[in-house]
Amino acid sequence: RKGDRLIECIDVLCVQEDGDATYLPVDNDDEEYCEYITGKTYENPISLKVERSKIFAEWIIDTYGKELLCRGTGVLDVAGGNGETCRHLVAKGIPVTLLDPNPRCGSNPGFTIIPHPLNCDGSDLTSRNDNIGNIVRNCSFICGLHPDQATEPIVSLAERLNVKFAILPCCVMPSLFPHRVQRKHGDPVRSYSAFCQYLLDMAPEKEEFLVDHLPFVGRNKVIYRAPS
C-alpha cells in the first residue's frame, strides 16, 4: 500500500547472526516450532485441526476447573457450530449450552441448543423472560473457538455478566466492523494481530486479559480472563 505505516515492536525474541540456521522451523509438525509458539513442551506437539475442539475443552477444564464451570447454568459455547467443544465438555460432566444461529450437531446432541446469534453485548438475550434468558444470564463461563462475528460480543457479554471467558480469535472481518480502531494509534483494525490487541484492550480498568497458545495447527491464540 502507498504511504508509511508505524509498526511497534513489542519484544525482541532473538538476534540472528550471519550464518545462523533459521531459528523458526519451517515444518509446523516440528516439536521445536510448538515449543517456540506455546512456550511449552508436549508429547505430541502439533495436533491436526480436527482435534482442536478437544484440546480447547481440555484447556478450559485445566485452566478454570470443574467447580467454576458447573456453576449456574454452566458453560455457554458461542458459535460452536458442530458442537464438538460442547461434546468434550459434556463428556467430563460439565453442563453446556450451544448458542449458534445455525447449529450443525443433530437433533439429540446431549446438550442444550439456543439457535440464536450473539450480538453486541447479548442484551437481547439476557432481557428475555424465558428459559433462554435464564440460561444466558446465569452461565458461569463463555467460550468461543473461532467464533467470527461473535468474538467481540463474547467479551462484551462476559464483562457485563462478570463471568470468565476464553476465545480463539480467527476472522477479522474489517468491512463488517469499521468502528474498530486500535487504542494506541487509532488505525483501523484490519489484521489478525491488531484484532487480538483490540480484544486485549477491551479489559476493564485495573484488569488485564491473558494470552495462551494451544498446540494445534492454525490460529491457536487464546485470549482469556484470569481464573481468579
Side-chain angles (χ1 to χ4, degrees), residues 116-189:
H116 291 279
L118 177 61
N119 297 313
C120 300
D121 64 354
S123 294
D124 59 323
L125 298 174
T126 57
S127 63
R128 296 174 61 129
N129 295 316
D130 58 9
N131 192 45
I132 290 176
N134 177 64
I135 289 173
V136 178
R137 282 193 304 271
N138 293 291
C139 69
S140 61
F141 180 80
I142 309 173
C143 65
L145 173 57
H146 300 167
D148 295 338
Q149 294 99 318
T151 306
E152 183 179 351
I154 289 175
V155 181
S156 299
L157 176 60
E159 288 185 349
R160 191 165 63 81
L161 297 179
N162 193 27
V163 298
K164 310 299 183 183
F165 76 88
I167 49 174
L168 283 92
C170 187
C171 300
V172 181
M173 301 180 178
S175 61
L176 288 180
F177 303 99
H179 69 280
R180 292 175 178 162
V181 294
Q182 300 177 54
R183 177 178 292 181
K184 286 190 177 181
H185 310 300
D187 289 345
V189 174

Side-chain angles (χ1 to χ4, degrees), residues 9-220:
C9 177
I10 297 175
D11 196 7
V12 176
L13 298 178
C14 70
V15 177
Q16 186 168 331
E17 303 292 344
D18 290 340
D20 285 352
T22 302
Y23 185 72
L24 260 182
V26 176
D27 184 0
N28 279 14
D29 291 329
D30 194 291
E31 183 175 349
E32 183 183 354
Y33 179 89
C34 179
E35 187 172 352
Y36 174 83
I37 292 296
T38 65
K40 302 173 184 178
T41 302
Y42 296 86
E43 276 186 40
N44 301 304
I46 299 293
S47 300
L48 298 174
K49 288 184 178 181
V50 294
E51 298 181 7
R52 62 192 181 189
S53 295
K54 179 182 178 181
I55 293 170
F56 185 36
E58 291 175 346
W59 180 92
I60 290 172
I61 296 171
D62 290 343
T63 303
Y64 293 96
K66 288 184 64 175
E67 193 276 328
L68 182 148
L69 299 173
C70 289
R71 294 175 189 169
T73 53
V75 174
L76 187 67
D77 180 22
V78 179
N82 60 14
E84 283 302 305
T85 302
C86 294
R87 290 188 180 92
H88 291 299
L89 291 172
V90 168
K92 299 295 183 179
I94 297 169
V96 186
T97 297
L98 174 64
L99 178 65
D100 192 303
N102 184 31
R104 305 181 305 279
C105 46
S107 57
N108 295 297
F111 48 84
T112 304
I113 298 175
I114 299 177
H116 291 279
L118 177 61
N119 297 313
C120 300
D121 64 354
S123 294
D124 59 323
L125 298 174
T126 57
S127 63
R128 296 174 61 129
N129 295 316
D130 58 9
N131 192 45
I132 290 176
N134 177 64
I135 289 173
V136 178
R137 282 193 304 271
N138 293 291
C139 69
S140 61
F141 180 80
I142 309 173
C143 65
L145 173 57
H146 300 167
D148 295 338
Q149 294 99 318
T151 306
E152 183 179 351
I154 289 175
V155 181
S156 299
L157 176 60
E159 288 185 349
R160 191 165 63 81
L161 297 179
N162 193 27
V163 298
K164 310 299 183 183
F165 76 88
I167 49 174
L168 283 92
C170 187
C171 300
V172 181
M173 301 180 178
S175 61
L176 288 180
F177 303 99
H179 69 280
R180 292 175 178 162
V181 294
Q182 300 177 54
R183 177 178 292 181
K184 286 190 177 181
H185 310 300
D187 289 345
V189 174
R190 296 187 178 278
S191 68
Y192 172 71
S193 59
F195 185 35
C196 289
Q197 186 58 54
Y198 174 84
L199 295 168
L200 290 168
D201 288 341
M202 289 180 67
E205 189 177 356
K206 297 182 180 180
E207 183 180 358
E208 184 177 359
F209 294 157
L210 306 178
V211 174
D212 200 354
H213 294 83
L214 302 186
F216 59 71
V217 175
R219 289 183 167 172
N220 61 356

